[in-house]
Amino acid sequence: MYKYDQYDQAMVDARVEDFRDQTRRRLEGKMTDDQFKPLRLKNGLYLQLHAYMLRVAIPYGTLNSRQMRKLAHIARTYDRGYGHFTTRQNIQYNWIKLEDAPDILAELATVEMHAIQTSGESIRNISADQYAGAAADEIIDPRPWAEMIRQMTTFMPEFSYLPRKFKIAVIAAEADRAALRWHDCALRIVQNEAGEIGFEVFAGGGMGRTPFIAYRIREFLPTDQILSYLQAILRVWNRNARRDNIHKQRMKILVHELGEDEFRRQVEEEFQHFLALGEDFPQAEYDRIAAYFAPPPFETDLSEEIDRSDPDFALWADHQVAAHKAPGYAIVNISLKPIGQIPGDISAEQMELVADLAERYSFDELRATHAQNLVLPHVRKQDLHAIWTALHEAGLGEANLDLVTDIIACPGLDYCSLANARSIPVAQKIAERFADAERQKDLGELKIKISGCINACGHHHAGHIGILGVDRKGTENYQLLLGGSGDEETSQAKITGPGFDEAGIVDAVERAVERYREIREPGERFLDTYRRVGMDGFKEAIYG
Amino acid sequence: MKILTGNDLKTGHVIWWDGQGWSLHVEDAVDAGDRADAIIAREEAECRVNGAYAIDGEKTADGVRPAHIKDRIRALGPTVRPDLTLKPADPNAGNWVI
Ligand code: HEM
Ligand code: SF4
């Protein structure tokens, strides 16, 4: 895992002291909120429905136990005993006091964390495959590249006042676990026929009110040219973006308006210019950063056996455990979706338990996922039962990864001031409706994603079943969408028709799911059936 | 009626204009009539409130309630965490929200 050097630490510490001073001046009335707001947003502090909200960055979703314990400590000391993991691998606290915010940032800095670039018109925290460094199917660990890009883009003057937010994701496997093509810019590490490693580059994706799936703008870019290429993309956007209209400033709009080919042409032209400057990272720098991500000292000659005699454990292992690259090891997914609970929420005590498990069983490593779950990336198969037992006792033993109850939901109208409707109660009711383990298993992979407004923080465009909260004459209403996906076969969900009230949307989801059960062919997931029969195959069942 | 709400600058708590100062309880809210802008400007300048705005409210048998669901949820707290609302012990607290 990356460790701050003296420069990183000095920068983050200085930023905390700046913010302490700014906060003091605001509290003394020497600054208005209009003056203070851009400063607090640069440090992840929003004003939300009930209080200030602090969003803390978790670079590429990687955490160690010390950091997780600090997050627990902050939840307990400064918030109300819990935190919320988001769809961008960050964590949010909902009840922060302005007067405490500088102290919280100072506490975070002691464990090499901060809230910089978690808001505003910046290059946001870079997301990555949560199985990075562990996945059986990855080419290399993508995190050294994510870290290098993070270093390049944090505080870079040219990119400190971008037209709008800019979101980057990096993966290194065929399977896309990071919703790559829903990002402004996405990199997939690939290997060409000559065995060389490079990047497949996507640009112009995004959700929100005008969703676009990113285009592939480069099939293969040598890794040692990535910084020039990224700078070229950012410069083309920075130069041409529509700064006159907040809804047209995201890069996806520019790529769409210019067209894929013209955007690519301009990027390539600018790219030649950057290449000539010779400022790309030398190999030695990659080697230096990559050393931080060296694989942990895996034991050899471990047993592959998993004792499945306990049926509850066996069910959990079937759903929550993924293949690891090292023999005898496994990846454990920890569900933050216990039936009837709030998706992504975790108490301080649970955070501490998860930190203990990481320290004891997973080489001190943890991951946050974009589906609002957690991961222990490197566990011995022989330890799985002990881990499950501890999770189960702490209420974290749900076996529902990628199933109908593993629902992504944004905070919605319970917490968010931009919301039209509540998301969390809908997620809870759907989860309760489908709680039966046999039924969930029978339905198989089925990703439901819920947003409380058109900003799409809950990824409804990418849901096999998506739900969007709208305001209908002052009451909550929900649109139903089908057919979205955030994986390697990305697709955008389509609206089924007229919306529903809260009870109605749960019934409508059930009717869609039952329709799938009736017409599915062997081996088909919900999404496969939808793709085969289209909206018409579902519409009548939903609306009767 | 027009009622005024905002957040406490220091703590972020949701607060309501009660005629003299700011209360945590929407029941204390008073009609600001056509003085809303003046009160907001003065109170913001004195740092007694942050992000204040005027909304429609109505008097009910239980006291003043905001007209729109968003401000009703602000007045109570998150409907999914009754333990964290202003009325954690009242199982019916949420009935007026929706
Ligand atoms: C509660 C405070 C939040 C505010 C004020 C907020 C605001 C926004 C806005 C305005 C957008 C639209 C951006 C655009 O179209 O240009 C957006 C997009 C997004 N937000 Fe949030 N959000 C919040 C919380 C969250 C949470 C909790 C999550 C994760 C669960 C999240 C994840 C995202 C994602 C993934 C997108 C889509 C990115 C895209 O458009 O490409 N946000 N958010
Ligand atoms: S989708 Fe809308 S309601 Fe949900 S968190 Fe984002 S801005 Fe808030």
Side-chain angles (χ1 to χ4, degrees), chain A residues 280 301 405:
Chain A
D280 275 286
D301 303 323
T405 61

Side-chain angles (χ1 to χ4, degrees), chain A residues 53 55 86-87 92 165 167 206-207 250 411 455 457 459:
Chain A
M53 178 275 274
R55 184 182 289 161
T86 79
T87 43
Q92 294 186 178
K165 59 175 79 165
K167 298 181 177 179
M207 302 202 199
R250 290 285 297 272
N455 287 321
C457 304
H459 285 197

Side-chain angles (χ1 to χ4, degrees), chain A residues 293-312:
Chain A
F293 297 93
F298 293 122
E299 292 169 44
T300 48
D301 303 323
L302 288 177
S303 161
E304 296 289 341
E305 273 320 294
I306 300 177
D307 176 1
R308 300 172 52 86
S309 50
D310 176 339
D312 289 339

